[in-house]
Amino acid sequence: MLQWTKPLSSFINEEGMKLLMGPNYQEAETKPFALADLKTSARLDDAVIQVTGLGFVKDLLIHLGVDLALRCLRSEPRLHSKEYAKRELISPLLYIASVLAGELEVAAEFSTKDSDAAGSVDFVVLLNSFVISVLEGSSMTP
């Protein structure tokens, strides 16, 4: 059996989105996403409210700010040389961004194996079970 594959990055935007979204795909709006579009007074999904006790986007963002402030208060992020410590600061941002985006999932320590390499990556962001982003925490050079 001959199998043909095409990397997702080689699709034009519309073809790629149709593949990812399947029958649920609707053509995207032409206006670009802007931070101003985020309504801080918007109510969170019931599942998020049930798990966190937070009711609105504003509450979630405040929670993120407090979480990051406490992490920075009790440890100096700039001094961390280990990748794990970098991931500790990336993690809250990713998970809250996925909640705000709606249908995104985040997987930590995602294992991968193909003909070129094998191992795990720090985080992947998935949409409908397709990996759409790979993130690696690494040391920053001053």
Side-chain angles (χ1 to χ4, degrees):
M1 180 171 142
L2 179 64
Q3 184 177 8
W4 179 78
T5 61
K6 182 177 178 181
L8 187 60
S9 60
S10 66
F11 286 95
I12 62 170
N13 186 38
E14 292 297 312
E15 288 177 331
M17 289 307 295
K18 286 178 183 175
L19 176 65
L20 287 173
M21 299 297 291
N24 297 328
Y25 175 74
Q26 296 177 4
E27 194 165 322
E29 295 180 24
T30 56
K31 71 174 191 164
F33 173 80
L35 187 57
D37 289 343
L38 180 64
K39 306 242 183 306
T40 59
S41 61
R43 189 174 185 278
L44 294 168
D45 290 338
D46 290 337
V48 176
I49 293 170
Q50 184 177 359
V51 170
T52 65
L54 304 173
F56 299 94
V57 169
K58 174 183 71 174
D59 302 328
L60 194 61
L61 296 175
I62 290 169
H63 174 77
L64 171 64
V66 169
D67 181 90
L68 291 174
L70 288 172
R71 289 170 193 251
C72 292
L73 176 68
R74 293 299 178 206
S75 68
E76 183 58 50
R78 291 176 293 142
L79 302 178
H80 294 305
S81 61
K82 301 288 186 194
E83 192 174 309
Y84 176 79
K86 301 294 184 192
R87 290 194 313 254
E88 283 295 300
L89 295 175
I90 295 168
S91 177
L93 294 168
L94 282 176
Y95 285 103
I96 287 185
S98 73
V99 167
L100 294 176
E103 297 181 20
L104 298 181
E105 295 177 46
V106 177
E109 295 295 322
F110 189 81
S111 294
T112 181
K113 183 178 181 181
D114 67 18
S115 59
D116 296 326
S120 68
V121 293
D122 293 340
F123 298 98
V124 294
V125 178
L126 300 107
L127 176 64
N128 293 336
S129 301
F130 285 95
V131 174
I132 61 170
S133 182
V134 176
L135 296 103
E136 273 289 317
S138 63
S139 299
M140 293 174 38
T141 53

